[in-house]
Amino acid sequence: MLERRVVRFGGTGGLASFTHIVVAFSWLYLLSSSVFIANIVGFLCAFGLSYLLQSRFVFQVKITTQNAKRFLWFNSVHSWCHNFLARSSKTVITMFACCLWYS
């Protein structure tokens, strides 16, 4: 059961990412929208699809407002941590490389 859930989780994540890309590019190139607006619309579509698929297909729970709020909170925290760690690790790697280069 766990293996199936992991595969479903990865598949829904991949589908949500693909949805974000397709919607954002469509808004950007077909509707001549700004990059900011295109990404917001892409994110909202991907977020909605991800929530629906993960709720019903992966975890098989009811779709409720409270679950949607938790899903949004978790994804927001995850995104912030990912961005923070990505920037921090680049800084550390750059500093380490400079120390090796100049030593």
Side-chain angles (χ1 to χ4, degrees):
M1 181 69 172
L2 180 61
E3 297 87 14
R4 185 179 303 161
R5 197 176 274 183
V6 169
V7 170
R8 287 180 175 183
F9 185 80
T12 58
L15 187 58
S17 295
F18 182 72
T19 300
H20 186 152
I21 291 167
V22 168
V23 170
F25 272 101
S26 297
W27 273 70
L28 194 60
Y29 291 107
L30 298 177
L31 300 175
S32 299
S33 177
S34 71
V35 173
F36 180 73
I37 297 298
N39 270 311
I40 287 177
V41 174
F43 167 79
L44 291 174
C45 291
F47 175 82
L49 179 68
S50 182
Y51 173 67
L52 291 173
L53 288 177
Q54 288 189 29
S55 293
R56 300 303 297 155
F57 182 63
V58 178
F59 299 106
Q60 298 168 348
V61 297
K62 290 183 179 181
I63 295 173
T64 64
T65 304
Q66 184 174 355
N67 285 343
K69 287 178 186 177
R70 278 190 267 168
F71 190 76
L72 178 61
W73 179 85
F74 177 79
N75 281 302
S76 298
V77 169
H78 173 266
S79 179
W80 181 84
C81 289
H82 174 37
N83 288 332
F84 175 75
L85 291 174
R87 289 184 183 133
S88 299
S89 63
K90 287 177 189 174
T91 303
V92 170
I93 290 170
T94 303
M95 185 179 76
F96 182 70
C98 287
C99 288
L100 286 176
W101 180 263
Y102 291 113
S103 62

